[in-house]
Amino acid sequence: MSIDDQPFRVRDIGLPASITPREVPHHYRRVHRAVYASPGLTLGPVETIRAAWLRAGPESVVGGVSAAVLHGATFFDHGDNVELVRAPTGQGRTRTQVRIVRTDLDPRDVVIVDGMPVTSVIRTAYDLGRRGPAWLGLAHLDDLTRSTDLDLGVLWRYVVDHPAVRGIRQLRGLIPWIDPNAESSGESYMRHLVLAQGLPRPETQVKVYDETGRTVAKLDHAYREEKIAFEFDGFDYHYSDDQRAADARRDRETARLGWHTEHRNSVELSTDPFEFIGRLELLLEQRARRRR
């Protein structure tokens, strides 16, 4: 590891011959106590996690959302907050931007990623899927399943073997709803809302073709037989003039082919979720009557 591309502790790495340990603060940026980085190094998620882990010491294990990030998950902006796992009797405390979770880990629950001990994919899913709110747990599980080789059968067996913990009922209920086709936490939120209200499970990332076989749309969620779709509109993507125009063209084309599409953003769903659910229920009833 080069001191120019990763945070470091002086005692762990060789310094240039021209710099003594006492001179390090004059040449490098202090990130945590005894942890430094090159002045020109931008700390991305991996570097931020490494710096916090170096400060906590090698007996700490990267866990939670931080572990998910190191396993390749992408739904959530990691920011500067790092989660570390330590033994219940270990020393150290939670610091600003570093969350310490105290629990015992089986050695089989720990893997090495980028030179750091990290909770395994299964253990990370087990931990995040038990946290509330439930939609957030589902989003983490969708993300991990999409980003890794998470085997849901193995996860279920792990849950069966570790039953008496907080949040386990939530995790058991979420596993059948996991969908690796989800492309954002907003889509997971929308799907959880639908399933939690007892509506049929929708298909995800459904392609719609015109009469020539050309793909005219890929829908976030759809009831294919009823030709009902519902889309989660993220503010960072669907609210530019060009994207709104593209969405309108797509909706006109799918409507010509018999589809009805509902759009909602996070504000609309959180402000009045039952308006959306009621609308879906009405559409499903109307289209079911048409098929009779």
Side-chain angles (χ1 to χ4, degrees):
M1 179 182 72
S2 167
I3 60 177
D4 293 324
D5 58 21
Q6 292 287 351
F8 65 91
R9 291 188 302 182
V10 174
R11 67 186 183 188
D12 294 336
I13 197 165
L15 292 169
S18 59
I19 299 176
T20 67
R22 183 171 295 182
E23 295 173 323
V24 166
H26 302 294
H27 295 271
Y28 296 95
R29 173 165 50 104
R30 183 179 182 273
V31 182
H32 295 286
R33 182 181 176 183
V35 178
Y36 296 88
S38 173
L41 177 64
T42 299
L43 297 185
V46 175
E47 292 79 21
T48 299
I49 293 167
R50 185 182 302 280
W53 171 72
L54 288 171
R55 171 66 184 93
E59 70 278 7
S60 298
V61 177
V62 180
V65 179
S66 300
V69 167
L70 293 181
H71 287 304
T74 60
F75 279 7
F76 298 93
D77 180 11
H78 186 268
D80 294 330
N81 296 307
V82 178
E83 183 172 325
L84 300 171
V85 181
R86 299 181 69 119
T89 57
Q91 295 181 348
R93 66 183 187 278
T94 296
R95 301 177 177 86
T96 301
Q97 298 177 331
V98 178
R99 179 190 182 199
I100 303 295
V101 175
R102 295 197 173 279
T103 189
D104 286 315
L105 289 173
D106 189 298
R108 293 170 295 183
D109 289 334
V110 180
V111 297
I112 302 300
V113 179
D114 288 334
M116 294 176 280
V118 181
T119 53
S120 67
V121 172
I122 291 293
R123 176 67 196 214
T124 303
Y126 173 78
D127 290 338
L128 292 177
R130 291 184 290 117
R131 295 183 185 175
W135 76 263
L136 185 59
L138 181 61
H140 284 304
L141 294 169
D142 286 347
D143 197 6
L144 277 167
T145 307
R146 181 187 59 85
S147 305
T148 71
D149 58 355
L150 175 62
D151 185 319
L152 299 186
V154 175
L155 177 58
W156 184 260
R157 289 194 294 274
Y158 191 97
V159 169
V160 171
D161 291 339
H162 301 76
V165 294
R166 184 175 182 179
I168 199 67
R169 290 182 60 187
Q170 173 180 293
L171 178 55
R172 285 200 298 262
L174 291 178
I175 289 176
W177 292 356
I178 295 174
D179 191 331
N181 288 325
E183 294 183 345
S184 71
S185 59
E187 292 182 19
S188 300
Y189 172 41
M190 193 177 223
R191 193 175 79 258
H192 180 271
L193 182 60
V194 168
L195 294 174
Q197 294 303 315
L199 272 67
R201 181 168 183 160
E203 295 182 58
T204 52
Q205 312 308 328
V206 173
K207 291 183 178 180
V208 177
Y209 305 92
D210 66 10
E211 299 86 348
T212 67
R214 178 177 64 94
T215 302
V216 298
K218 187 177 76 167
L219 305 168
D220 292 346
H221 312 91
Y223 297 116
R224 195 185 297 269
E225 290 188 8
E226 295 84 359
K227 289 192 173 182
I228 298 170
F230 50 101
E231 297 271 288
F232 180 84
D233 290 347
F235 288 103
D236 59 344
Y237 182 67
H238 289 278
Y239 287 89
S240 69
D241 291 341
D242 289 345
Q243 189 57 47
R244 283 198 299 268
D247 287 347
R249 287 194 299 271
R250 185 197 64 175
D251 287 352
R252 286 194 297 271
E253 183 64 9
T254 54
R256 186 185 67 79
L257 296 169
W259 283 84
H260 178 92
T261 304
E262 290 286 319
H263 291 267
R264 296 293 188 280
N265 59 43
S266 58
V267 173
E268 292 165 336
L269 288 175
S270 60
T271 301
D272 193 356
F274 295 108
E275 178 276 331
F276 166 63
I277 293 298
R279 178 66 174 154
L280 273 187
E281 289 175 332
L282 178 61
L283 288 167
L284 286 167
E285 290 173 4
Q286 290 175 340
R287 299 221 164 182
R289 285 198 297 267
R290 290 183 189 179
R291 298 203 315 271
R292 293 187 188 128

